Amino acid sequence: MSIVLNIINQGLIFSLVAIAVYITSRMIKKDDLTTEGAFGLGGAVTAILLQYQVSAILVMFLALLSGAFIGLVTAFLYTRLKMNHLMAGLVSSTACFSLSLALSSASKSVM
């Protein structure tokens, strides 16, 4: 029974990623891959801050800010630097994955 609950729990979490990708690709008509990297970055920020026993409310706020910052970076690449929207999303998503990896390797007990 525990395995079934874990599967449902992970499915509900990943459904948020699927909804975010759907909204950006179908409703806004732009393929933005930043959402995939932002979810991972928010998870890495959450894991690191919870390890240092930071308040859960503050952790949620800071994880939200990290995703918003990456979104702003993507918007800057697209609007100001006139980069293709798909390429801007790929660059931001790769940056998110790199930051997540750097954060998790900086704190060995998270892994």
Side-chain angles (χ1 to χ4, degrees):
M1 189 65 177
S2 173
I3 294 173
V4 173
L5 291 177
N6 286 338
I7 291 171
I8 291 172
N9 189 19
Q10 283 186 345
L12 289 173
I13 291 170
F14 290 136
S15 70
L16 296 175
V17 177
I19 290 170
V21 171
Y22 174 77
I23 288 172
T24 57
S25 66
R26 297 289 180 217
M27 293 184 178
I28 303 175
K29 305 287 190 225
K30 301 277 186 202
D31 294 322
D32 186 12
L33 301 176
T34 308
T35 54
E36 298 169 1
F39 272 88
L41 180 63
V45 168
T46 300
I48 296 297
L49 292 177
L50 286 178
Q51 177 187 1
Y52 290 110
Q53 299 174 348
V54 178
S55 166
I57 301 295
L58 182 60
V59 167
M60 285 187 346
F61 180 71
L62 291 174
L64 179 85
L65 279 180
S66 69
F69 177 73
I70 291 299
L72 287 173
V73 168
T74 305
F76 176 77
L77 290 173
Y78 177 64
T79 58
R80 299 290 181 208
L81 298 181
K82 305 294 184 202
M83 190 179 283
N84 183 358
H85 61 85
L86 185 59
M87 198 61 163
L90 283 172
V91 167
S92 296
S93 183
T94 304
C96 287
F97 292 141
S98 299
L99 283 172
S100 299
L101 194 61
L103 285 173
S104 63
S105 66
S107 176
K108 297 295 182 194
S109 63
V110 172
M111 298 179 92

